[in-house]
Amino acid sequence: MTVASERPEPGRASGGRDDAAGADLESLRRTDLESLHNALVQVRRVIVGQDHMVERLLAALLARGHCLLEGVPGVAKTLAASTLATVVGGTFARVQFTPDLVPSDIVGTRVYHPGTERFDVELGPVFVNFLLADEINRAPAKVQSALLEVMAERQVTLAGRTHPLPRPFVVLATQNPIESEGVYPLPEVQRDRFLFRVRVAHPSAHEELEILHRMSVRPPVPEPVLDPGRLLRLQDMAEEVSVHQLVADYVVRLVMATRMPAEYGLAELAETIEIGVSPRATLGLIAAGRALALLRGRDYLLPDDVRDVAVDVMAHRLMLTFDALADEIDPAEVVRRILQVVPPPLVVWNRERR
């Protein structure tokens, strides 16, 4: 399916003062985009390889989404999250999740002060711009449940009062998929709150040698490039990335293929998928695709952007049948099969017409 479409153009101002204001706004946009790419360079000064993980972390920030990094120990999950927080600026807190953690340790609690004979609310470490939830699957169910309101509504309710979190707010979580001692698997409702689940693999031999050279003497220190205000503007720019109707329709077809696979030529998956992905996946595919398009220097969304983020957005939201789990079927492979069968549209932007 091929459709030629005029590329949406931003409105043009008329008049001297309006032209000057438009030029200043365009200059500000260019400066913000340059800072975004400089931030990517700063992160890669510290993190060797792992380009997929670094790109997804920045895309999650632009899409106002949370990111779950999954991998064995020592593959730079925590280092990547803390480095990104340093480069972007703003406030940062790291919480090491353990089995004895309680909800008040992260969201806050009421504290009685004998001198004033009153209770005051002490806010927890989640009241920052960037929260690193290290080894999140080590926390018990009560703590994980306390994060649901934090991640979805970006607020905390304590003593009958609602306390909004600072903007921007992003949770960067890590987990080790191979451990079973003292581990509480994340429930489906919490996995659904994460925009991405990114699997972090071991580095290659070439990257391992570069890690040895770069980190064994004096590790590089990242420099702050962005700030919360600039990040908020970049998030607004990501939301303004144009989405063609055919691309939106493609996103919906991908999602519906997980719920009614037989109707989309995937009858073999009917015995594999128990419950398809939620509407958060639909919104997540668009938001993540827009962020990726902005990172790649475009103000319009292509089907390839959607395909690139589909596994990271959809796989952790799929619920497989008991037989599929017993056969150790990987949800990521299910999503890749859907991408093979559901055809993308071919959208050609008309750049000549202005």
Side-chain angles (χ1 to χ4, degrees), residues 97-119:
F97 280 51
T98 57
D100 60 347
L101 211 62
V102 295
S104 60
D105 291 333
I106 60 171
V107 299
T109 187
R110 298 176 69 195
V111 177
Y112 180 73
H113 295 280
T116 59
E117 296 184 353
R118 56 179 293 181
F119 284 93

Side-chain angles (χ1 to χ4, degrees), residues 8 17 45 63 67 69 78 94 111 140 159 165 179 186 205 211 222 243-244 276 279 281 283 286 291-292 307 318 343:
R17 183 176 301 177
R45 284 185 59 232
C67 188
L69 304 178
T78 302
R94 172 182 174 179
V111 177
L165 293 166
E179 285 196 70
L186 298 183
I211 291 172
V243 180
H244 195 281
L283 299 173
I286 292 294
L292 201 60
R307 294 173 65 84
L318 277 178

Side-chain angles (χ1 to χ4, degrees), residues 221-240:
V221 178
E223 298 178 2
V225 173
L226 295 172
D227 55 71
R230 181 163 288 175
L231 179 57
L232 288 173
R233 290 199 300 269
L234 286 167
Q235 289 175 342
D236 292 339
M237 290 171 60
E239 290 181 346
E240 295 171 0

Side-chain angles (χ1 to χ4, degrees), residues 43-283:
V43 175
R44 286 176 173 165
R45 284 185 59 232
V46 179
I47 305 299
V48 179
Q50 306 294 3
D51 291 339
H52 178 81
M53 174 183 66
V54 172
E55 187 181 56
R56 292 301 181 268
L57 284 172
L58 272 171
L61 293 185
L62 294 176
R64 309 179 197 267
H66 310 296
C67 188
L68 175 63
L69 304 178
E70 185 178 278
V72 298
V75 290
K77 302 186 301 297
T78 302
L79 178 61
S82 59
T83 300
L84 184 65
T86 301
V87 170
V88 174
T91 54
F92 171 75
R94 172 182 174 179
V95 179
Q96 189 70 41
F97 280 51
T98 57
D100 60 347
L101 211 62
V102 295
S104 60
D105 291 333
I106 60 171
V107 299
T109 187
R110 298 176 69 195
V111 177
Y112 180 73
H113 295 280
T116 59
E117 296 184 353
R118 56 179 293 181
F119 284 93
D120 290 332
V121 173
E122 296 289 341
L123 301 179
V126 299
F127 286 86
V128 290
N129 296 119
F130 300 95
L131 175 67
L132 173 57
D134 217 359
E135 296 185 284
I136 190 173
N137 55 335
R138 287 191 174 277
K142 283 186 177 181
V143 175
Q144 294 183 8
S145 297
L147 283 176
L148 295 180
E149 182 185 17
V150 171
M151 296 174 65
E153 282 77 34
R154 288 173 166 78
Q155 65 183 28
V156 171
T157 302
L158 289 172
R161 292 184 57 191
T162 298
H163 303 269
L165 293 166
R167 297 176 62 243
F169 174 75
V170 175
V171 174
L172 306 174
T174 69
Q175 70 173 2
N176 181 355
I178 63 174
E179 285 196 70
S180 57
E181 293 292 331
V183 169
Y184 303 84
L186 298 183
E188 290 77 6
V189 66
Q190 186 166 4
R191 293 204 306 266
D192 199 33
R193 296 302 199 277
F194 284 100
L195 174 63
F196 291 132
R197 183 194 65 179
V198 181
R199 289 179 172 173
V200 186
H202 278 123
S204 65
H206 173 74
E207 292 169 346
E208 198 83 23
L209 185 60
E210 179 62 25
I211 291 172
L212 182 61
H213 290 159
R214 189 180 301 183
M215 308 299 288
S216 61
V217 182
R218 182 177 296 173
V221 178
E223 298 178 2
V225 173
L226 295 172
D227 55 71
R230 181 163 288 175
L231 179 57
L232 288 173
R233 290 199 300 269
L234 286 167
Q235 289 175 342
D236 292 339
M237 290 171 60
E239 290 181 346
E240 295 171 0
V241 169
S242 300
V243 180
H244 195 281
Q245 180 59 37
L246 289 177
V247 180
D249 177 72
Y250 177 55
V251 167
V252 172
R253 286 188 285 120
L254 289 177
V255 169
M256 296 306 295
T258 68
R259 302 175 191 171
M260 298 176 291
E263 296 185 11
Y264 291 84
L266 293 158
E268 73 274 12
L269 295 184
E271 302 299 322
T272 301
I273 301 175
E274 180 73 24
I275 300 177
V277 298
S278 73
R280 283 197 183 97
T282 309
L283 299 173

